[in-house]
Amino acid sequence: METKQSGPIGRPRGFDADEALERAVLVFWEHGYEGASLACLTKAMGISTTSMYAAFGNKEELFRKALERYTEGPGGYLARALEEPTALDVATAILAGAVRSTTRPTRPHGCMGVQSALTTSDSGREVRDHLVAWRNDSHSRVRERFQRAVDDGDLPPETDPGLLARYVTTLAFGIAVQAASGVGRDELQGMVDAALRTWPLPQNPSPG
C-alpha cells in the first residue's frame, strides 16, 4: 500500500521547520551571511544538507527566510516604535530598541542584517542587494512617519523628514556595529541620550 508523503523528500521524522529556522537565525546573527557555513548551519539546525535544501532551498533562500524571521522577532521594535504618538517618541523607541536587541546577554550581539552586510563580498551580490533594500525599507518607513509628524505640526515645518530618518536609522545601525564590537548597553544608551538632546521640536506645541 502506498503511503502519503507528509513533507518534502529528505525531511526527517520529527523535523520542526520553525525551530530549525530560529536556530538558523542565531547562526546568521552571530557569523553573518558569509561566515555561516552550510556545515555550521545544518549542525545548529539539527538536519542534513539534503533536508535543508528540501525545506528551505539554498543558503541564500534560507538567509532571506531567516532575515524575515529576525525582522519580525528581535527586529520588531521598529514596527512598534512607528506607532508611538510623537516623532521624538518614535526616535527614542527605535534607538532604545536597537540598544536592547543588540546587547541581550542570551543572544548574539549586534544586528543580523548589519553583520551580514559588513561581510558580504561580490560573490554574494544578491544577498548584498537584498540587505540594501532591507535597510532602505526601514529608512522609508521612518521617513513616512516623520513626514506625518511635520504635517501634524509635531516637527518644525522646515524639517527634512528624509534626512532626519537617515540620522535615526544610521544611529541604529551604528549601535549594532558598536554592540558587536563589545560596547556595553549603558554606554550605547548614553550615546542615544546625547544624540536626542538636539531633537527638533515645534516652536509652538499644541496645548495638551
Side-chain angles (χ1 to χ4, degrees), residues 21-78:
L21 185 58
E22 288 289 347
R23 294 179 181 181
V25 168
L26 294 177
V27 174
F28 283 126
W29 192 350
E30 182 174 3
H31 299 289
Y33 176 74
E34 289 186 345
S37 66
L38 283 177
C40 184
L41 284 164
T42 53
K43 180 179 180 180
M45 296 166 76
I47 58 177
S48 67
T49 303
T50 301
S51 297
M52 190 205 81
Y53 279 109
F56 299 104
N58 59 22
K59 179 183 175 182
E60 180 184 329
E61 291 168 338
L62 174 62
F63 177 77
R64 288 172 182 263
K65 292 180 175 71
L67 183 62
E68 182 178 351
R69 178 65 63 91
Y70 174 86
T71 303
E72 295 171 351
Y77 64 85
L78 176 64

Side-chain angles (χ1 to χ4, degrees), residues 98 114 168-181 188 191:
V114 173
V168 171
T169 54
T170 298
L171 280 173
F173 293 138
I175 286 168
V177 174
Q178 293 298 311
S181 300
L188 292 171
M191 183 272 291

Side-chain angles (χ1 to χ4, degrees), residues 77-84 87-101 138 141-143 145-146 165 168-173 175 192 196 199:
Y77 64 85
L78 176 64
R80 294 188 295 271
L82 295 175
E83 300 301 320
E84 292 290 335
L88 177 56
D89 289 337
V90 169
T92 301
I94 289 174
L95 297 177
V99 171
R100 187 172 58 252
S101 70
S138 297
R141 294 168 69 189
V142 178
R143 183 193 65 225
R145 177 62 183 83
F146 288 168
V168 171
T169 54
T170 298
L171 280 173
F173 293 138
I175 286 168
V192 168
L196 294 177
W199 189 259

Side-chain angles (χ1 to χ4, degrees), residues 79-177:
R80 294 188 295 271
L82 295 175
E83 300 301 320
E84 292 290 335
T86 71
L88 177 56
D89 289 337
V90 169
T92 301
I94 289 174
L95 297 177
V99 171
R100 187 172 58 252
S101 70
T102 60
T103 58
R104 291 189 187 281
T106 59
R107 290 287 185 266
H109 285 186
C111 166
M112 176 183 159
V114 173
Q115 289 296 99
S116 297
L118 292 174
T119 58
T120 303
S121 65
D122 288 343
S123 62
R125 182 179 300 275
E126 290 187 6
V127 168
R128 183 179 61 191
D129 291 346
H130 184 66
L131 288 167
V132 169
W134 179 75
R135 292 193 301 273
N136 286 341
D137 178 68
S138 297
H139 171 261
S140 296
R141 294 168 69 189
V142 178
R143 183 193 65 225
E144 290 170 3
R145 177 62 183 83
F146 288 168
Q147 180 62 65
R148 293 205 312 271
V150 172
D151 296 340
D152 294 341
D154 179 46
L155 285 171
E158 67 275 12
T159 302
D160 183 336
L163 183 61
L164 191 59
R166 187 69 69 189
Y167 174 68
V168 171
T169 54
T170 298
L171 280 173
F173 293 138
I175 286 168
V177 174

